[in-house]
């Protein structure tokens, strides 16, 4: 059996694990999404969404489809961000928990990025004849991830996870409306990128500008006591600006193909 098929089976098992998380939920087994352990409806939504994603990834990997590569890139990016944010947001472990955390982190990163490396080695990128489509679809999946994050904000609200709109963290009904509106916009953006619609170019330029404006305004409007360490700020800025602007630039580069 090819090594990629071994990984396909492993991702299918992860999908089963995600399916069970809402059923077997307790304070320590909820789905960890972008560094936070979820409970209740957010746990159900996130866990079963990732279950569906992993099933699609496992099937496309088993069949050696070109679509497996953007799925793999997006998943590896998510795993990296999730591990980093979880490390930043939880107390440092000690003893056996620390050893387990190190081993788990190494295996998760090596596994997720290793599969991407294997697909590149095996020429998955050349199986899609349209230039840039692999990266565009990876960006589409990342924006779908952001849409999911915004969609659960009204249900998983705390003082530090409310939706930030033009530099101000929202609460109550404003948080619900803003989060769901942006979730809808990002879902539309992700779908239009995947389908290569011209609407993606407009949404991409607008979203890239909004991200920069939001980051600048947050710097001036953030409440006292919300300062973050540089080790968090630099990667966050790089990923937020890089993903939003990178997608917009790639869409512009391949604008002739958009319909």
């Amino acid at each position: 059996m090819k090594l990629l098929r071994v990984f396909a089976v492993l991702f299918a098992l992860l999908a089963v694990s995600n399916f069970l998380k809402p059923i077997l939920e307790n304070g320590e087994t909820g789905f960890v999404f972008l560094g936070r352990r979820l409970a209740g409806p957010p746990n159900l939504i996130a866990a079963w969404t990732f279950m569906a994603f992993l099933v699609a990834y496992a099937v496309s990997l088993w069949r050696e489809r070109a679509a497996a590569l953007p799925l793999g890139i997006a998943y590896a990016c998510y795993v990296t961000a999730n591990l980093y944010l979880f490390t930043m947001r939880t107390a440092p472990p000690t003893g056996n928990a620390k050893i387990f955390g190190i081993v788990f982190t190494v295996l998760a990163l090596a596994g997720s990025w290793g599969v991407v490396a294997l697909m590149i080695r095996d020429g998955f990128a050349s199986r899609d004849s349209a230039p840039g489509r692999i990266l565009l679809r990876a960006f589409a999946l990342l924006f779908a991830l952001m849409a999911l994050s915004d969609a659960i904000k009204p249900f998983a609200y705390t003082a530090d996870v409310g939706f930030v709109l033009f530099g101000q963290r929202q609460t109550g009904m404003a948080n619900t409306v803003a989060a769901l509106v942006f979730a809808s916009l990002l879902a539309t953006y992700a779908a239009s990128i995947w389908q290569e619609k011209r609407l993606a170019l407009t949404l991409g330029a607008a979203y890239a500008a909004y991200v920069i404006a939001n980051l600048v305004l947050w710097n001036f409007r953030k409440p006292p006591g919300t300062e973050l360490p540089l080790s968090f700020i630099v990667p966050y800025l790089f990923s937020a600006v890089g993903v939003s602007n990178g997608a917009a630039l790639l869409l512009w580069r391949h604008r002739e193909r958009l319909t």
Side-chain angles (χ1 to χ4, degrees):
M1 177 181 285
K2 290 185 177 180
L3 185 55
L4 284 176
R5 288 195 167 182
V6 174
F7 278 108
V9 173
L10 291 175
F11 288 129
L13 292 175
L14 282 176
V16 174
S17 173
N18 288 339
F19 173 76
L20 293 174
K21 283 189 183 297
I23 300 172
L24 305 176
E25 179 188 330
N26 61 48
E28 298 180 354
T29 61
F31 187 80
V32 177
F33 180 60
L34 295 180
R36 298 180 187 277
R37 194 173 298 281
L38 303 177
N43 180 42
L44 175 67
I45 294 169
W48 284 8
T49 298
F50 270 83
M51 175 197 67
F53 175 92
L54 286 168
V55 168
Y57 187 18
V59 170
S60 60
L61 199 57
W62 183 274
R63 295 180 177 177
E64 299 186 356
R65 304 296 188 192
L69 186 51
L71 289 166
I73 294 171
Y75 184 67
C77 288
Y78 165 75
V79 167
T80 303
N82 199 34
L83 288 170
Y84 177 73
L85 291 171
F86 186 75
T87 302
M88 294 293 295
R89 290 169 171 168
T90 56
T94 58
N96 291 335
K98 182 176 182 179
I99 297 173
F100 174 81
I102 293 172
V103 173
F104 179 83
T105 298
V106 170
L107 291 177
L109 291 175
S112 58
W113 286 108
V115 176
V116 173
L118 286 173
M119 286 190 283
I120 293 173
R121 184 202 66 180
D122 290 350
F124 274 54
S126 62
R127 298 178 189 182
D128 195 322
S129 57
R133 181 177 287 164
I134 296 293
L135 277 179
L136 278 173
R137 290 190 164 180
F139 277 125
L141 292 166
L142 291 175
F143 288 123
L145 174 68
M146 294 178 197
L148 175 62
S149 174
D150 287 342
I152 65 176
K153 275 186 168 65
F155 307 100
Y157 175 77
T158 66
D160 61 341
V161 299
F163 189 84
V164 177
L165 179 65
F166 289 112
Q168 291 187 318
R169 195 178 298 282
Q170 307 299 308
T171 61
M173 184 57 68
N175 174 53
T176 300
V177 172
L180 294 181
V181 166
F182 268 79
S184 299
L185 286 173
L186 285 170
T188 302
Y189 184 26
S192 61
I193 293 176
W194 190 277
Q195 297 171 355
E196 297 187 342
K197 298 296 184 181
R198 187 163 294 275
L199 174 62
L201 194 58
T202 302
L203 292 175
Y207 185 67
Y210 167 76
V211 166
I212 293 174
N214 203 32
L215 290 171
V216 172
L217 290 171
W218 170 256
N219 188 58
F220 290 102
R221 295 177 172 179
K222 61 185 177 184
T226 58
E227 290 76 14
L228 297 170
L230 197 62
S231 59
F232 179 88
I233 294 173
V234 173
Y236 179 81
L237 288 175
F238 178 79
S239 58
V241 176
V243 170
S244 59
N245 285 266
L249 289 172
L250 193 59
L251 284 165
W252 176 257
R253 181 178 178 183
H254 298 291
R255 61 190 181 279
E256 305 86 10
R257 201 168 69 239
L258 304 179
T259 59

